[in-house]
Amino acid sequence: MSKCLNQISILGHLGADPETRYLPSGKAVSNIRVATTDRWTDKQSGEAQEQTEWHRVVFFDRLGEIAAEYLRKVSMCYVQGSLRTRKWQDKEGKDQYTTEIIARELILLSKNEGSSEQPQQRPTRTDARRPAA
């Protein structure tokens, strides 16, 4: 059987505002870093433990524009996409690698500033597979 799946879903907080640039074609590319934190209680000591992982996420085209417009540092979001590893050479000629999430879907989950009750009234779901209107 030759079926494969490369899919990842994360829910976390942004570590900084998105970094957005535009390709010569005019299409947007936005990059963010999202923190996800696992929390558990140590069985032996009974102490609360936590571990935070940082994920690089890349948004292209309209999804990149939406990320640039609506996401801000500490915003909470859900991202679904696929993993991609890039390779390049640094100034000394050494191979460097980075693994990123190429986003296909973004759900904005942040709440209004000053309110812990109601989510912001704005588009909350975008899917990169949908054709542009």
Side-chain angles (χ1 to χ4, degrees):
M1 187 177 264
S2 64
K3 300 205 182 217
C4 298
L5 177 68
N6 179 359
Q7 183 172 320
I8 183 167
S9 299
I10 62 170
L11 174 70
H13 293 275
L14 272 69
D17 288 347
E19 296 175 9
T20 303
R21 66 186 196 288
Y22 291 87
L23 301 175
S25 65
K27 294 186 177 186
V29 179
S30 292
N31 295 283
I32 62 171
R33 291 184 46 223
V34 177
T36 57
T37 303
D38 289 326
R39 292 180 175 87
W40 70 93
T41 302
D42 185 273
K43 290 182 180 180
Q44 292 180 346
S45 68
E47 292 183 29
Q49 302 286 323
E50 72 176 35
Q51 179 179 1
T52 300
E53 286 288 330
W54 287 94
H55 310 273
R56 295 176 183 268
V57 182
V58 182
F59 300 95
F60 290 99
D61 302 328
R62 180 66 182 134
L63 209 52
E65 293 170 3
I66 291 168
E69 185 175 348
Y70 292 112
L71 293 176
R72 293 292 169 260
K73 182 177 181 177
V74 301
S75 294
M76 179 174 261
C77 66
Y78 168 85
V79 175
Q80 187 176 60
S82 58
L83 290 177
R84 176 121 353 114
T85 300
R86 291 187 298 121
K87 175 184 172 183
W88 75 94
Q89 290 187 339
D90 64 13
K91 293 177 184 176
E92 290 84 39
K94 295 180 185 175
D95 288 344
Q96 300 291 320
Y97 298 87
T98 189
T99 300
E100 304 167 318
I101 298 169
I102 306 302
R104 286 190 298 262
E105 187 173 330
L106 168 65
I107 300 175
L108 309 170
L109 300 171
S110 293
K111 299 184 183 212
N112 284 326
E113 291 181 26
S115 169
S116 60
E117 300 298 322
Q118 298 295 319
Q120 294 176 348
Q121 299 299 315
R122 61 184 183 197
T124 58
R125 184 181 177 116
T126 48
D127 190 334
R129 292 169 288 195
R130 268 189 230 145

